[in-house]
Amino acid sequence: MKRIRISIDGPAGAGKSTVARALANKLSYVYLDTGALYRTVALAAKKEGISMDDSRRLGELARRVKIRLVREGNIEFVELDGKRIGQEIRTPELGRVASQISKVSGVRQALLSLQRDLASSGGVVMEGRDIGSVVLPDAELKFFLVASFKERAKRRWKELVERGEKVELSLIEDEVQKRDKVDSEREVSPLIKPKGAIEIDTTDLTIDEIVARMYRFAKERESAGA
Ligand code: DC
């Protein structure tokens, strides 16, 4: 049985992280959250006080810092220059900064080889915005997840509330709308449905239903590539 590379792309709040993690578990594959890499560069930029408009310094920063995705048991986290990074990259603010800095081609270029290295051994579920289109255009299985705008905002909002943050749903709706715009209108690797990707609308599906559907496709591809 071949251990394949699976890409999952889609807009913020389409359910990518949750299903990608569950699918990876079910297949005994490695889950790779590429948004965490962009968020970590965003954090580093914030710490160094680099302006979001300074493409040159942002590119230089992304090339200079050492970012690793680390797994300990079933917990995964990021290391930035040898230091463990926690939930501080999961705030809406860092999401916004990540979205801004991800427009810079030097940043994308720096993270490209890291992402390809991470996926090179196969047996991975890699989630992001340009995985099936740019990072792994020859992935054996590609998914594109979508959901209605209202539903996506609601999911993001619930996530934050469950983490103990007090935020208004309307604020999150604004955030999601802005992020959609930046992510899909940027010049370098915009969010698009990759060629050959299977589109799943997750608005009215449960996590289990989505994962079961993806799992069936994965098993088919694994046997086809054996
Ligand atoms: O999935 P996320 O919310 O953690 O991603 C944060 C931002 O990072 C997202 O708005 C755009 C950027 N990103 C990207 O440009 N390409 C990826 N493969 C993953 C994330």
Side-chain angles (χ1 to χ4, degrees):
M1 200 79 83
K2 188 176 179 202
R3 289 168 61 76
I4 60 171
R5 290 160 304 158
I6 301 173
S7 67
I8 304 182
D9 293 296
K16 297 186 301 287
S17 307
T18 314
V19 299
R21 192 178 280 115
L23 180 66
N25 262 338
K26 212 167 146 93
L27 290 164
S28 298
Y29 278 17
V30 173
Y31 162 59
L32 298 169
D33 168 13
T34 64
L37 305 177
Y38 286 90
R39 285 171 182 264
T40 303
V41 175
L43 179 71
K46 207 180 135 198
K47 281 187 173 159
E48 295 199 15
I50 301 176
S51 151
M52 280 189 265
D53 306 321
D54 196 338
S55 304
R56 195 190 54 79
R57 284 189 71 200
L58 287 171
E60 184 273 322
L61 172 80
R63 280 190 296 280
R64 170 165 46 86
V65 290
K66 293 267 167 299
I67 300 176
R68 290 203 318 133
L69 285 185
V70 187
R71 196 166 322 278
E72 270 175 12
N74 52 7
I75 299 173
E76 72 278 325
F77 59 90
V78 187
E79 255 183 28
L80 171 63
D81 290 330
K83 285 203 192 72
R84 183 178 178 148
I85 302 296
Q87 291 297 317
E88 67 256 47
I89 55 167
R90 300 291 164 196
T91 63
E93 193 218 337
L94 252 288
R96 206 166 39 237
V97 182
S99 182
Q100 288 296 332
I101 60 129
S102 71
K103 288 195 283 188
V104 177
S105 91
V107 171
R108 304 205 72 85
Q109 205 55 44
L111 292 181
L112 188 59
S113 46
L114 170 61
Q115 294 173 84
R116 286 188 177 151
D117 283 352
L118 288 169
S120 61
S121 55
V124 295
V125 179
M126 187 176 252
E127 168 235 322
R129 302 289 190 291
D130 63 339
I131 308 305
S133 57
V134 176
V135 180
L136 305 174
D138 55 351
E140 287 84 359
L141 182 58
K142 300 179 188 181
F143 291 106
F144 191 67
L145 298 190
V146 294
S148 74
F149 159 70
K150 286 268 172 203
E151 177 65 22
R152 290 189 289 119
K154 210 169 81 194
R155 288 177 189 166
R156 281 265 145 158
W157 175 76
K158 264 180 78 180
E159 246 174 56
L160 293 168
V161 170
E162 276 163 16
R163 237 184 276 146
E165 295 194 29
K166 282 202 179 72
V167 273
E168 291 289 324
L169 178 59
S170 60
L171 196 81
I172 303 298
E173 286 181 348
D174 281 355
E175 292 273 348
V176 171
Q177 205 154 31
K178 275 193 207 123
R179 272 244 256 146
D180 277 2
K181 197 168 151 59
V182 177
D183 291 352
S184 51
E185 290 180 2
R186 70 169 172 240
E187 266 169 52
V188 197
S189 316
L191 172 68
I192 50 157
K193 178 176 165 183
K195 235 166 120 186
I198 298 162
E199 181 167 322
I200 301 179
D201 186 336
T202 67
T203 310
D204 299 312
L205 295 175
T206 65
I207 310 279
D208 287 349
E209 285 168 336
I210 308 162
V211 175
R213 200 177 284 187
M214 293 171 127
Y215 182 77
R216 280 197 298 276
F217 279 113
K219 284 290 159 193
E220 260 171 38
R221 289 300 149 88
E222 275 184 339
S223 339

